[in-house]
Amino acid sequence: MRTSFFCGFALYLLLLTGCANGEKVNNDQFSFMDSLGITITDQLLLGDTLSLPDIYCGDPNQKKSDLKGQGINHKQYEALVIPAGSHFADEMANWLLMGVRDMGNDVTLAAFYACSGAGYCVELMTYDRQGNLLDAINARELHLLWRIHLDDAKNDTVFTLDGQFSFNGNQVKLRRTMGRAIMDFNGDLKGQPFWQQGWEQNYIVNPKGHFVLQGQHVVMEKGKVDQYAALDFKSWDMLVCSLHDPAIMDIWNDYTELVNSTYDPDYEYNPFPWDVAQLYNMNPQRFLQWMAAHRGTDNRLLPCFKLPPHNRPALLEEIARLDDPSARQWLTALVNSWDDIPLTKHL
């Protein structure tokens, strides 16, 4: 992988040069950007697709493409990004506004590129006309090569992952393609992947500006797909979801059936309980309210919801914030009934 120096230097140049030349867009909906010192030009209007240069490795043609957009300063970062919380802003050293788009209902969507020493990601955030943050989703590593055998430097087998966002009206689509392949000495793919699988996640941006996940489905398969690896990456992608809308909980609940039918109970590594814990961390109140409303057998997430012991005091504090006394009582009894071995012990 490239170091953080590459990312920082590239964005430093963008901060020096500012936005690419273009005509100013006369749209009152974007006036909150003007008030922050960000001039929206036609160059900063998002098109129908949003792809990224392949920073780490992959298609050589993508390596030649340039990041386009405008660097943001600390004041702009505090106004536009910090309200999304630490899940989005933590450890991200450099930020770039890639573009904006009118999503209808007076909602503006802004796409940011964030880069740090740990990697990079794309942030999609929605705002009202006054610039108040409505929602955000965080898609880490849209392009990635992941070495399978980390303890064997001579092993060149890798997982590949590519991604692209597309927009149509109030619809947002994330398309992914993953596979297993060989990496050469230059960090590029060598030959054709052994197998590939492509899938799409479809969202709508509702009138509240929330990203509502409509579902995820496979659109392509080549070769004999490693279903364990595919489930791992797809559950990771399902964390690309609204900070607020509870519809994501229903989709995760249904997804457990696919996980349970695929994983061998004796298989040592099942990342799903960890992903559920991550889903909790994104918005604990949303998660706990859903859990309390699903106390019967239809709650298939319940066996996966067991955080490490050191997180338990914070969990009990979140439960105490719930308005419903019966929900507080039930969840408190549930947590106190757990033993000291978390389901995430494999991590």
Side-chain angles (χ1 to χ4, degrees):
M1 291 185 178
R2 309 290 187 186
T3 65
S4 60
F5 171 80
F6 174 87
C7 300
F9 183 71
L11 292 183
Y12 172 72
L13 290 178
L14 284 161
L15 282 167
L16 288 178
T17 58
C19 180
N21 292 330
E23 295 293 329
K24 181 178 179 180
V25 175
N26 293 317
N27 188 330
D28 290 339
Q29 185 164 325
F30 305 142
S31 62
F32 70 92
M33 291 281 189
D34 281 324
S35 67
L36 293 172
I38 300 174
T39 300
I40 302 300
T41 68
D42 52 8
Q43 297 278 332
L44 275 178
L45 292 179
L46 288 175
D48 294 336
T49 59
L50 177 60
S51 298
L52 290 183
D54 197 349
I55 294 294
Y56 293 150
C57 38
D59 183 351
N61 294 323
Q62 288 182 323
K63 286 187 175 181
K64 298 176 184 177
S65 61
D66 296 320
L67 284 169
K68 292 182 173 61
Q70 178 173 315
I72 61 175
N73 60 35
H74 189 70
K75 176 184 176 182
Q76 295 159 352
Y77 169 79
E78 286 186 332
L80 298 172
V81 178
I82 289 295
S86 61
H87 182 78
F88 291 80
D90 189 33
E91 296 182 359
M92 288 298 150
N94 300 282
W95 283 79
L96 175 73
L97 174 62
M98 304 184 74
V100 299
R101 186 179 178 95
D102 182 351
M103 300 301 290
N105 297 303
D106 291 331
V107 174
T108 293
L109 181 146
F112 296 93
Y113 170 93
C115 174
S116 74
Y120 70 94
C121 62
V122 177
E123 317 270 0
L124 300 185
M125 300 189 181
T126 53
Y127 304 89
D128 63 18
R129 278 181 173 263
Q130 288 71 47
N132 298 308
L133 181 79
L134 301 174
D135 203 358
I137 61 176
N138 181 335
R140 293 184 179 274
E141 283 85 26
L142 284 188
H143 300 278
L144 175 69
L145 288 187
W146 193 332
R147 190 181 292 276
I148 294 175
H149 301 285
L150 296 176
D151 56 347
D152 183 1
K154 296 181 180 179
N155 194 303
D156 55 1
T157 305
V158 294
F159 287 128
T160 71
L161 188 67
D162 292 293
Q164 180 186 74
F165 280 110
S166 61
F167 310 99
N168 182 16
N170 71 333
Q171 300 177 8
V172 178
K173 179 184 296 182
L174 172 62
R175 182 181 177 117
R176 293 281 207 179
T177 302
M178 76 164 298
R180 182 168 176 165
I182 298 295
M183 182 172 65
D184 65 19
F185 293 110
N186 296 320
D188 296 318
L189 294 184
K190 183 178 180 181
Q192 295 296 315
F194 301 122
W195 58 263
Q196 281 186 307
Q197 185 182 79
W199 66 90
E200 292 180 349
Q201 288 176 204
N202 298 298
Y203 309 80
I204 60 169
V205 177
N206 70 12
K208 294 182 179 180
H210 294 171
F211 295 95
V212 182
L213 179 59
Q214 304 296 291
Q216 181 189 76
H217 60 281
V218 174
V219 294
M220 176 272 288
E221 285 190 347
K222 294 180 181 178
K224 187 177 181 181
V225 175
D226 180 345
Q227 295 297 336
Y228 286 151
L231 279 177
D232 191 356
F233 276 92
K234 280 187 282 190
S235 62
W236 184 18
D237 265 357
M238 286 173 63
L239 290 170
V240 183
C241 62
S242 168
L243 279 175
H244 308 292
D245 197 279
I248 181 62
M249 298 296 301
D250 294 325
I251 292 176
W252 271 86
N253 192 52
D254 292 340
Y255 194 64
T256 58
E257 290 189 353
L258 178 60
V259 173
N260 292 335
S261 65
T262 302
Y263 273 94
D264 186 327
D266 296 326
Y267 186 58
E268 182 179 357
Y269 176 72
N270 180 349
F272 194 72
W274 172 254
D275 293 329
V276 172
Q278 289 291 90
L279 186 65
Y280 163 84
N281 289 332
M282 290 180 66
N283 188 332
Q285 289 295 303
R286 174 195 60 187
F287 190 102
L288 293 172
Q289 288 170 11
W290 187 93
M291 294 293 287
H294 296 77
R295 307 182 196 182
T297 57
D298 63 324
N299 187 342
R300 293 182 289 272
L301 283 175
L302 186 58
C304 301
F305 177 50
K306 190 174 181 183
L307 301 178
H310 66 273
N311 286 342
R312 210 161 291 178
L315 172 58
L316 289 171
E317 288 182 6
E318 288 290 349
I319 292 173
R321 292 177 53 206
L322 292 171
D323 293 332
D324 184 356
S326 65
R328 294 198 302 268
Q329 182 178 8
W330 180 74
L331 285 166
T332 300
L334 170 69
V335 173
N336 288 333
S337 72
W338 290 346
D339 56 34
D340 290 331
I341 304 176
L343 286 181
T344 53
K345 64 183 182 297
H346 59 280
L347 297 170

